[in-house]
Structures are given as structure tokens and as C-alpha cells.
Amino acid sequence: MITAYQPDIAPVGSLWLSALIGLLPLVTVFVTLGWLRWKAHHAGLTALAVAILVAALFWKMPIHLAVLSATEGFVFGLMPIMWIVFMAIVLYQITVVSGRFEDLRDVFDLISDDPRIQAIVIAFCFGGLMEALAGFGAPVAITGVMLMAVGFSALRAAAVVLLANTAPVAFGAIGTPILTAGRLTGIPPQEVGAYVGHQTPLLAFMVPLFLCFITDGKRGVKQVWPVALVTGIVFGVAQWVSATYLAMELTDIISSLAGLAAIVLMLRFWRPQGREEARASLREQHHQEWESLTEAERAAQPALPAKREGVVLTGERIFMALFPYLLVIAAFSIAKLYDPVKNWLLATDIKIPWPGLDGQVLTVAGKPNGSTVYTFSWLSNPGTTLLICAAIVALVYKVSPGAFFREIGATAHKLRFSFLTVGSVLALAYVMNLSGQTITIGTWIAGTGAAFAFFSPILGWIGTAVTGSDTSANALFATLQQTAAKGAGIDPTLLVAANTSGGVVGKMISPQNLTIAATAVGLLGRESDILRKVIWWSVGLLLVLCVLILSLIHI
């Protein structure tokens, strides 16, 4: 009889040394991607190989189980994650080939044609709404090309959308990260959500100002700070109120719409200076970036219609321009919030015990590991909802079936290396998780006693950086946070929430999300450049959260 594999929390005897060895795959990712500037799929595959070797040599995981763990993770990376991103980009491409995307760009100009405000409207408010409904990289993919359409260079657009996709992440996909933490710890999700709603507003206050800085430097902050600050405050207060007193699952929807309303209302009475200078600066950077691209990189840039002059937007044209995204909002609201439809969709999920792996891997506690059962969410997946929306949009926009399927084929070809990258990163995550490497790292950090309050968000940051998902970070570390908090005499709900909040600032440096952003803006292979643009924002915001959580235990 074959004995199931059970991870050892300290396979080399010393917990701290075991944790350092367990960090080798992550170090490999960031060294190869950030320092050596390898292409993301090369970095991902190399780190995966390191994770398998570490699992086999130090954690004594049978090599075939390590490889099978990688195969399950790779498939999970393709479905559901890349399926969502793939269909989000197809939807965008349908709006471009129909000619309607030009009208959408003009609609954003009606709100404001100042690129610094457009960054807040598109990346922060609209992106927050997309995070609320879809999540899993869709906001980054959709808003990245939108920013390019209004004049942003590819690299700047990628940096803006990754930074903007922070504060909403904790409540993304109708509160899935918090629901996951509640289910695993037994703490009511509304209670966890309320705690998170007292932490992430601090990020919401700051992020719009940071977006102004990335878009137009110090001048942007100096000239646009009133609307950026008002948007951040309204978004953050709406998060606080909704998460604490209303519905945790609807927090991002309420806060995103409140932030957008605040911008529209404020711009009726106040307009920032320096709009033309900011637009000229963006055009110059866009030109410089274009000149530096190779022919292959230029070919990979998303198709962007030329700017039109003298176009009058009627009410009908405005509605038709917004139609795809109104449809997405309506479809996801029904699929996620209307219980009969939601439950019917979930009932179609197919549970697949992974061949050769299921039943052969235990947790550190000696219980069967539930991660070895793969869920094939072919109908409940947000990507399938986006496919239905794309088909309806193509019909309404009178895009022929031939053109529709050509865009699907072209997008699949464009994303081929993204599929490989995201698949390899999720394969890496599964190997680290099932072999015990991740829990060893977390246990080591959790062993710092009362000081763990400071380090608590770092666990969520690491978990999301590895998996690209705040939900996965909570699945990894929520119970560990709860246990460590009880041992240190700290409120467990506070640290479970801190895990969630720390994860939101780790998402922007996740190789998975870097690849999604690079793919959307046509910079596939230059993920290392994007990483260097955002890593210090990630680290800085993480330190803010660490200080906040440490201060809260003394209140």
C-alpha cells in the first residue's frame, strides 16, 4: 500500500533554514524577471523547475506527485484564470473592429479629456467596478487598452492599471477573498469584511494621488490633487460604510460608483490646470516608446483607432458605446447576485479528482488536501459570461460571425506566451503549496510572537505575489493567521483581515498579473520593465499596512 505524502513543517530540522530554502522558487522568479530581465515565461518555467527540485530534494515529496501538482496548477492557470483574460480581450477587440470603441473614447472625453483624471476614472473607478464583478485579471486587461486608447504609452498604461487594481481587490469578485477567509477560519465573513473595510480605505485615499504622479509626475499631483483626494476619500468612506454596515459583497460596486459620481460632480464646479501640457507629455512619451519598439513588438500593440475631430455624440451613440460594459455589469450582477441563477451556474461545476494526485497528498495536520480536486467551472466561470457578452455585443454591433471568430483566433495567437507564463506560475504555486514550502514560510514568519502583527500583511503579500490571487492567499494563510493571533494574544479577525489587505498590494507584482498587463498593452516579454515600474509602490504600500496593523493592536 502506498503511503500518502505528508509535508514536514521543518524538513531540514531548522524552521528558519527550511523557510529560506522554501523561498528559493520565489527568489528565482524575481531575480530572473526583475534583475536578469528574462521573458516572463522563461522565468516562470525556471522557477517551476526550482520548486519541483526543492520539493523533491528537501521536502522529500515523491517526484511524480510534484510533477502532478504542477500539471493541476497549470490547468488551473488556463481555466479559469486565462480564460477570463482571454475573453476580456476578445470583448475589447469586438468593440474595436465594430468602430464603436472610438465613441467610447469620446464618452470618456465628455467626463474629462485631462489624462490624469482619465487615469482615475478608467483605471481606478471603472477598473474597481470590473474587479467587483469579474476579478482574476479582467480589470487589468480591459482598462489597460482603454488607457492606451486615450493616449497613454503602453508601459505607463500597464503601471497605472496595476497600481489602481489594489484597493478594490479585497472585495473583488463579489467578496470572494473574504468569503474564502471566513469559510476556512469560521469567522463570519461580514466580520472579516468589516475589519478589511477599516484597513483598505487607507490605500484608497492614496492611490488616486499616486496615479496622478505616475501619469504626470509632480506637476500632475500639484494640479489635480483636489479631485484625486476627493475621489480617494469618497471611495474609501464608501468602502468603510458598505463593508461595515451594508453588504460586504457589494462593497466594490458601491465604492466605485460613489467615486465616479464624486468626480463627475466635482468637475461641474472645478477644472484642473495643465491639461494640454499633460497631453503633450503623454504624446511625447508615446512617440519615444514607439520608436524604441521592435517590429514584432509594434505588431503586438493593440489596434487603436485614430483620434477623431468634430464628432457629435448623440444619446444613442453614447448608449451604444457604453453598451458592452453595461451588458457586462448586468450579466455579472445576475450571475453573482441573483441566487437562483448563481446556484444553477455553480451546480454545473464539475469536480475532478486529479488523477494520481488526489488522496495521495495530506496537509501538515495529516488531513486529506482538498486542493487535489480540480473544479472545472465551464459555465459559472466569469470568462464564459464574458464570451456570452462578447457574442451579444458582436450581434448588436453587426460584427459578422467570420470576423468574430477571426478575433478569437487572433487573440489566442497573441496570448500564446501568456498562457504559458500564467500556467507555469500557477504550477509553481501548486507545487509550493502541496509540497509544504508555502506553509513552512508562513509558519516561520508567524513565529515572531506579538511582533507578528507587523509581519501579518507580508504573508498575504507573499501569497498573492505567488498565486496572483488574494483568494488563494487567504486559502493559504487565513487559518495560519488565526492560529498565530491566538498564540500571541491578538484579535484573530484583525490578522485574518490583514492577510487580505496585504494581498491586495502584492497583486501588482505577481508574475501572473504582470503578464496579463503586458499582454493587454502589447509588451509581452517586457514584464521585467513593468515590474521595475511598480515594485516600489507595492513595497511602500505594504509597509504602510504593516505599520497600520501594528498600531491597531494597541488601540
Side-chain angles (χ1 to χ4, degrees):
M1 181 177 178
I2 301 175
T3 304
Y5 168 74
Q6 181 177 354
D8 187 343
I9 201 72
V12 298
S14 166
L15 180 61
W16 70 268
L17 182 57
S18 299
L20 291 180
I21 294 173
L23 283 168
L24 286 177
L26 301 185
V27 172
T28 302
V29 170
F30 292 114
V31 168
T32 55
L33 193 61
W35 183 36
L36 299 179
R37 302 190 183 187
W38 287 10
K39 293 185 182 297
H41 57 281
H42 292 155
L45 290 171
T46 302
L48 171 60
V50 171
I52 291 174
L53 287 174
V54 168
L57 295 177
F58 296 97
W59 268 260
K60 306 304 180 184
M61 185 181 202
I63 192 70
H64 74 282
L65 293 181
V67 172
L68 286 171
S69 300
T71 61
E72 185 187 0
F74 192 93
V75 171
F76 183 79
L78 299 183
M79 182 72 176
I81 294 173
M82 278 308 295
W83 176 236
I84 299 169
V85 177
F86 172 60
M87 289 316 308
I89 294 178
V90 168
L91 176 63
Y92 160 76
Q93 288 297 128
I94 297 303
T95 67
V96 172
V97 298
S98 69
R100 292 287 183 175
F101 192 83
E102 301 171 39
D103 285 345
L104 180 64
R105 182 170 55 189
D106 291 336
V107 169
F108 283 121
D109 281 349
L110 285 179
I111 300 174
S112 174
D113 58 356
D114 189 311
R116 300 160 300 187
I117 293 177
Q118 288 177 328
I120 300 173
V121 170
I122 296 172
F124 188 66
C125 295
F126 184 73
L129 193 58
M130 288 295 99
E131 180 66 37
L133 297 169
F136 294 101
V140 171
I142 292 173
T143 58
V145 290
M146 283 184 167
L147 285 183
M148 289 190 68
V150 298
F152 281 67
S153 67
L155 186 59
R156 186 167 296 190
V160 166
V161 298
L162 286 170
L163 177 57
N165 190 224
T166 48
V169 166
F171 299 95
I174 314 297
T176 299
I178 293 169
L179 291 172
T180 300
R183 177 173 55 83
L184 291 173
T185 61
I187 302 172
Q190 287 294 342
E191 186 176 331
V192 178
Y195 274 64
V196 175
H198 297 169
Q199 297 168 12
T200 54
L202 182 61
L203 304 179
F205 295 160
M206 297 184 289
V207 166
L209 287 169
F210 295 160
L211 298 181
C212 291
F213 182 82
I214 291 180
T215 302
D216 196 34
K218 294 180 181 178
R219 177 179 62 191
V221 176
K222 182 178 179 181
Q223 295 176 339
V224 188
W225 71 265
V227 71
L229 190 61
V230 167
T231 305
I233 290 174
V234 170
F235 189 103
V237 170
Q239 268 197 334
W240 180 298
V241 172
S242 179
T244 307
Y245 302 110
L246 301 178
M248 177 274 295
E249 294 88 345
L250 302 181
T251 295
D252 275 350
I253 296 175
I254 294 171
S255 53
S256 296
L257 293 177
L260 181 59
I263 293 174
V264 172
L265 183 62
M266 187 170 182
L267 290 178
R268 294 186 62 183
F269 305 99
W270 175 88
R271 295 277 177 175
Q273 297 179 339
R275 178 197 64 183
E276 291 303 326
E277 292 88 344
R279 294 178 69 169
S281 175
L282 282 184
R283 284 194 298 268
E284 176 62 24
Q285 193 201 34
H286 197 289
H287 175 73
Q288 292 176 358
E289 182 182 80
W290 182 262
E291 292 296 320
S292 69
L293 297 178
T294 64
E295 287 300 321
E297 288 173 333
R298 290 179 181 179
Q301 295 280 289
L304 302 174
K307 178 68 176 177
R308 304 173 300 175
E309 300 295 339
V311 175
V312 178
L313 285 178
T314 63
E316 180 185 359
R317 292 185 71 164
I318 291 174
F319 174 78
M320 290 300 288
L322 294 173
F323 172 72
Y325 304 101
L326 295 174
L327 178 63
V328 167
I329 292 170
F332 277 103
S333 297
I334 294 171
K336 298 291 186 180
L337 301 178
Y338 185 54
D339 284 341
V341 175
K342 176 184 175 181
N343 294 334
W344 176 74
L345 291 173
L346 290 174
T348 65
D349 289 354
I350 301 173
K351 302 288 186 180
I352 303 175
W354 204 254
L357 186 65
D358 185 50
Q360 299 303 311
V361 179
L362 306 178
T363 63
V364 171
K367 298 178 180 179
N369 198 314
S371 298
T372 59
V373 178
Y374 169 71
T375 301
F376 180 54
S377 52
W378 65 281
L379 192 55
S380 66
N381 189 309
T384 304
T385 306
L386 287 171
L387 169 61
I388 295 169
C389 290
I392 294 173
V393 170
L395 184 64
V396 172
Y397 280 0
K398 298 181 180 178
V399 175
S400 69
F404 179 72
F405 287 109
R406 278 196 299 274
E407 288 305 322
I408 290 179
T411 302
H413 182 264
K414 176 182 176 181
L415 294 181
R416 62 193 186 281
F417 290 117
S418 301
F419 291 134
L420 181 58
T421 299
V422 173
S424 63
V425 169
L426 267 296
L428 160 72
Y430 266 66
V431 173
M432 290 187 66
N433 296 346
L434 292 176
S435 67
Q437 296 172 55
T438 306
I439 199 68
T440 294
I441 296 168
T443 304
W444 172 52
I445 296 176
T448 53
F452 178 55
F454 179 84
F455 295 104
S456 177
I458 298 176
L459 275 186
W461 184 78
I462 291 174
T464 305
V466 173
T467 64
S469 165
D470 201 20
T471 300
S472 297
N474 278 347
L476 287 173
F477 293 132
T479 304
L480 181 67
Q481 297 269 14
Q482 181 185 37
T483 303
K486 290 178 179 177
I490 302 171
D491 181 1
T493 308
L494 174 65
L495 297 196
V496 172
N499 194 80
T500 307
S501 301
V504 307
V505 295
K507 193 165 185 177
M508 71 178 87
I509 63 167
S510 161
Q512 170 191 313
N513 258 36
L514 290 170
T515 299
I516 291 169
T519 302
V521 301
L523 291 180
L524 189 61
R526 293 183 58 184
E527 289 86 351
S528 58
D529 294 335
I530 302 173
L531 174 63
R532 283 192 293 277
K533 279 277 188 182
V534 299
I535 188 169
W536 297 116
W537 294 107
S538 178
V539 172
L541 290 172
L542 175 64
L543 290 176
V544 169
L545 282 173
C546 290
V547 172
L548 173 66
I549 301 304
L550 183 62
S551 66
L552 288 176
I553 69 169
H554 299 298
I555 295 178

